Amino acid sequence: MSDSLPPDSPNGVADAVAFITSAASVLIAQKWGVRAPTVHKALSTPEAVAVTTTRYLLALGAGKTPAEAAGDVGRSLLADANQRAA
């Protein structure tokens, strides 16, 4: 994420969501033994990005720091993947 943009600016949010999606893709791929680009493609659909963005903004609105919000959203993506795979 850019240090020059506030985390709640449109570009700051887009950067945060891109980071969350990228990190979660790698972790999910490692855990389930699939290719990270495949997971990233699934997490990058407009619908998935909208959900990730909404979760991130809600976490920020709840008073979390950008790092805490990103961590929470990333963990929820991992939990969702675990639940769907079970």
Side-chain angles (χ1 to χ4, degrees), residues 23 27 38-39 58 61 71 77:
L27 293 172
T38 303
V39 178
L58 287 171
L77 287 173

Side-chain angles (χ1 to χ4, degrees), residues 23-34 39 43 74 77-79 81-82:
S25 296
V26 170
L27 293 172
I28 292 168
Q30 287 175 345
K31 179 168 183 153
W32 294 106
V34 295
V39 178
L43 293 178
L77 287 173
L78 294 171
N82 287 335

Side-chain angles (χ1 to χ4, degrees), residues 9-76:
S9 73
N11 287 336
V13 170
D15 287 348
V17 170
F19 173 77
I20 293 165
T21 301
S22 179
S25 296
V26 170
L27 293 172
I28 292 168
Q30 287 175 345
K31 179 168 183 153
W32 294 106
V34 295
R35 296 181 58 236
T38 303
V39 178
H40 191 267
K41 183 177 179 181
L43 293 178
S44 296
T45 65
E47 296 83 5
V49 170
V51 169
T52 303
T53 301
T54 301
R55 287 177 174 177
Y56 180 70
L57 291 174
L58 287 171
L60 288 176
K64 298 194 181 225
T65 67
E68 291 170 331
D72 285 354
V73 174
R75 281 188 292 280
S76 72

